[in-house]
Amino acid sequence: MITEKNIPQSTVEILSRGMDCLINAMGVVDAEYFIATVQRERFDYTKWQREYFDKIDLHTFVENAVSYAKDVGK
């Protein structure tokens, strides 16, 4: 069965949701600074993600994931 969650989002929809998340979490100005920094530094998200998550032990990661899921009501 195809549901709304199964339908791939367009690039515009994903960018819009991402901007909403950044603005809600950081505010407009810091969100813009973040985007400018990512573009200027040729940010490699995959490399950053690997370095970031390699520093977190599994127990802490799971606790953070559970806490996040509770916060967003899932």
Side-chain angles (χ1 to χ4, degrees):
M1 172 161 53
I2 296 179
T3 65
E4 240 179 69
K5 291 185 177 185
N6 299 66
I7 300 170
Q9 296 179 344
S10 72
T11 301
V12 172
E13 291 170 324
I14 291 171
L15 290 173
S16 179
R17 287 182 59 212
M19 282 302 300
D20 288 344
C21 289
L22 285 173
I23 290 169
N24 289 334
M26 304 173 76
V28 174
V29 174
D30 284 341
E32 291 291 339
Y33 281 135
F34 173 80
I35 292 169
T37 301
V38 168
Q39 290 177 333
R40 182 180 58 247
E41 300 295 328
R42 295 186 182 191
F43 183 72
D44 184 340
Y45 175 78
T46 304
K47 181 180 175 185
W48 170 85
Q49 180 184 18
R50 173 55 53 202
E51 291 171 356
Y52 178 80
F53 287 113
D54 280 351
K55 295 175 185 173
I56 299 176
D57 65 276
L58 181 59
H59 182 73
T60 301
F61 178 83
V62 171
E63 283 181 346
N64 291 345
V66 168
S67 175
Y68 175 78
K70 286 179 183 175
D71 287 345
V72 297
K74 294 187 178 183

